[in-house]
Amino acid sequence: MFKKFYPTVYVLSAYTVDFSELYNKGYRVLVLDVDNTLVEHGAPATNQAVAFFEQVHNIGWKTCILSNNDEARIKPFADAVKSDYIFDAGKPKRSGYEKAMKLLGGNKNNTLFMGDQLFTDIYGANRTGIKSILVKPIKIDPEFLIRLKRLGERIVMPFYLAYAKRHPKSL
């Protein structure tokens, strides 16, 4: 019932993923969310975020920030981390994910998505047919609608965790 919201894998932080290992497995394109995935909601690029993008770019990854935020929020962040970006993406619609893959020359087999929300980020990646990494949100989001979605996630996550325990997956 909830499987359409299940990520491929779940991690506590974006900053703990071994992107060298994933690159060696053939992944080349990283599409990712920003708010509560890499920084607190609305925060500018931190030194940690800049270093993260520098590291993945040095490995050889192509990156694209995919956000439902407006350009005024995303462009400064993307400029600071030297990444392509798509704003007003309309997640969970497939079109933003597909546009990111096309922009970076990726496909469903060599693209990963990373984000913090099941009902937008992960559901959209699943609808598009790309593997996903769910990260634990950095902080409780101040926006009412996002907090409402988090209540729904509290229902889905125990089912996902039980499923993942029985059916372990890796990227």
Side-chain angles (χ1 to χ4, degrees):
M1 175 166 132
F2 294 132
K3 286 184 183 177
K4 62 186 172 188
F5 303 114
Y6 291 177
T8 308
V9 296
Y10 174 62
V11 298
L12 295 179
S13 171
Y15 299 110
T16 63
V17 177
D18 187 343
F19 284 98
S20 291
E21 179 185 334
L22 294 173
Y23 190 86
N24 290 336
K25 289 182 177 183
Y27 295 104
R28 297 294 182 265
V29 173
L30 178 61
V31 181
L32 61 166
D33 183 51
V34 171
D35 287 330
N36 273 325
T37 299
L38 297 171
V39 295
E40 290 183 14
H41 184 89
T46 60
N47 290 338
Q48 185 179 34
V50 171
F52 169 84
F53 277 89
E54 185 175 319
Q55 176 191 14
V56 296
H57 290 152
N58 285 340
I59 293 168
W61 287 88
K62 295 178 182 177
T63 62
C64 183
I65 295 166
L66 185 68
S67 178
N68 287 347
N69 278 300
D70 60 22
E71 190 170 25
R73 162 69 181 122
I74 298 307
K75 184 180 185 334
F77 190 98
D79 288 348
V81 299
K82 298 177 176 65
S83 179
D84 286 308
Y85 67 95
I86 297 169
F87 64 96
D88 290 333
K91 294 181 290 184
K93 292 180 185 174
R94 290 188 299 262
S95 57
Y97 299 82
E98 291 167 346
K99 184 177 178 182
M101 284 190 290
K102 185 176 182 179
L103 177 69
L104 301 179
N107 60 54
K108 293 177 183 180
N109 297 316
N110 71 357
T111 301
L112 293 176
F113 180 84
M114 184 166 59
D116 69 298
Q117 291 188 44
L118 290 177
F119 301 135
T120 52
D121 296 332
I122 302 306
Y123 180 47
N126 290 344
R127 292 181 72 210
T128 308
I130 58 178
K131 299 214 172 164
S132 60
I133 302 169
L134 175 67
V135 302
K136 182 179 179 182
I138 292 173
K139 188 176 178 184
I140 300 296
D141 203 291
E143 289 190 21
F144 176 74
L145 289 176
I146 295 172
R147 286 198 329 261
L148 246 148
K149 286 187 229 174
R150 296 287 185 212
L151 291 174
E153 289 177 353
R154 284 194 211 162
I155 294 167
V156 175
M157 280 305 287
F159 288 96
Y160 163 70
L161 294 171
Y163 176 83
K165 196 172 192 176
R166 290 189 316 272
H167 304 87
K169 288 185 184 177
S170 63
L171 295 168

